[in-house]
Amino acid sequence: MTIGKKFNELNAKEYIFYINNHKKYKDFNTLGLYRSLTENDNLSLGERITIREYAHSFFKKSFYFLQLKDPHIFVKISTLGMELTKADERRIWDDVIKNQQIILKDKRIKHRNFGTYSKHSCPYENCIYRGLMVNPNSHFAWGSVHFDSDKSKFSQKIKSERRRSERKQEQLIINKLIND
Ligand SMILES: [Zn+2]
């Protein structure tokens, strides 16, 4: 049997149904299931978390491998609904990096062709992804992972420069008022 639908289109009840019956559906894809939890607009936050926990009771081991296959999704799913400080984020990524090493070490012994991974090495000294093993085609090849944050850093810089020049203008006006 096939589900014949994307996970993104399911509601919470259907998720539970397909998880319970996953052995009967040959197009059931565990990673696809997890991935969809961040993308499916039919789900409330509470439902996403409930489905994640339910899925973990079946597929915790596959989920663990997501740290290597798709670390961004792994972190997103693991932290659903949490408010993270920079320090929390740092700690989570440190754990992912540690677990990746464990997975790669294990896998290399069993079968050599687990995939091609290389270290995320960007020029940013404080980058939280430093040392992360990434598939060269993934979002984490540093060019694309930094694109968004660099863009926002750039616009922050523009904003702060604008503020600075506004303050300067104000000061000029005040000076003029005082001196005139
Ligand atoms: Zn980086």
Side-chain angles (χ1 to χ4, degrees):
M1 272 195 284
T2 58
I3 300 172
K5 244 181 173 183
K6 286 182 185 162
F7 279 118
N8 283 354
E9 296 162 4
L10 303 182
N11 62 38
K13 255 191 173 160
E14 291 169 317
Y15 270 99
I16 303 300
F17 174 84
Y18 287 116
I19 291 170
N20 282 334
N21 295 287
H22 68 274
K23 283 186 182 149
K24 295 182 198 157
Y25 293 91
K26 58 174 192 272
D27 61 342
F28 186 96
N29 174 311
T30 312
L31 300 185
L33 163 90
Y34 279 115
R35 264 195 202 105
S36 75
L37 291 180
T38 62
E39 296 162 356
N40 188 333
D41 294 328
N42 300 322
L43 303 174
S44 68
L45 177 61
E47 286 172 335
R48 284 172 219 274
I49 293 171
T50 307
I51 295 164
R52 178 192 65 195
E53 292 309 306
Y54 195 65
H56 278 358
S57 64
F58 292 80
F59 315 118
K60 193 75 197 251
K61 204 167 171 200
S62 315
F63 185 69
Y64 184 77
F65 287 117
L66 208 50
Q67 288 178 98
L68 187 62
K69 289 185 177 165
D70 200 337
H72 184 64
I73 294 291
F74 176 89
V75 170
K76 248 177 136 176
I77 304 280
S78 302
T79 59
L80 278 172
M82 292 182 192
E83 286 211 24
L84 300 175
T85 63
K86 277 276 162 221
D88 295 333
E89 229 177 286
R90 173 74 268 174
R91 213 190 47 240
I92 289 165
W93 282 106
D94 281 347
D95 281 347
V96 169
I97 290 165
K98 224 187 299 156
N99 291 334
Q100 284 189 329
Q101 298 304 328
I102 295 169
I103 295 169
L104 279 172
K105 226 172 127 196
D106 276 8
K107 283 286 167 186
R108 224 170 265 145
I109 300 164
K110 287 171 196 152
H111 38 109
R112 285 177 190 282
N113 296 324
F114 191 65
T116 320
Y117 289 86
S118 58
K119 265 189 189 158
H120 171 91
S121 60
C122 67
Y124 306 101
E125 238 175 80
N126 296 322
C127 177
I128 55 173
Y129 308 124
R130 275 216 150 176
L132 185 74
M133 298 305 286
V134 293
N135 187 308
N137 303 319
S138 85
H139 171 70
F140 277 101
W142 77 263
S144 53
V145 73
H146 285 289
F147 183 68
D148 289 339
S149 58
D150 291 349
K151 219 167 42 186
S152 68
K153 248 179 246 153
F154 183 66
S155 70
Q156 267 168 19
K157 198 171 166 220
I158 290 178
K159 257 184 227 152
S160 82
E161 265 164 18
R162 191 179 305 138
R163 245 178 277 133
R164 202 178 309 136
S165 82
E166 276 166 14
R167 273 201 303 272
K168 230 183 205 166
Q169 288 295 333
E170 277 169 32
Q171 199 57 47
L172 284 176
I173 294 167
I174 293 169
N175 288 348
K176 199 166 181 295
L177 287 174
I178 295 172
N179 293 330
D180 277 353

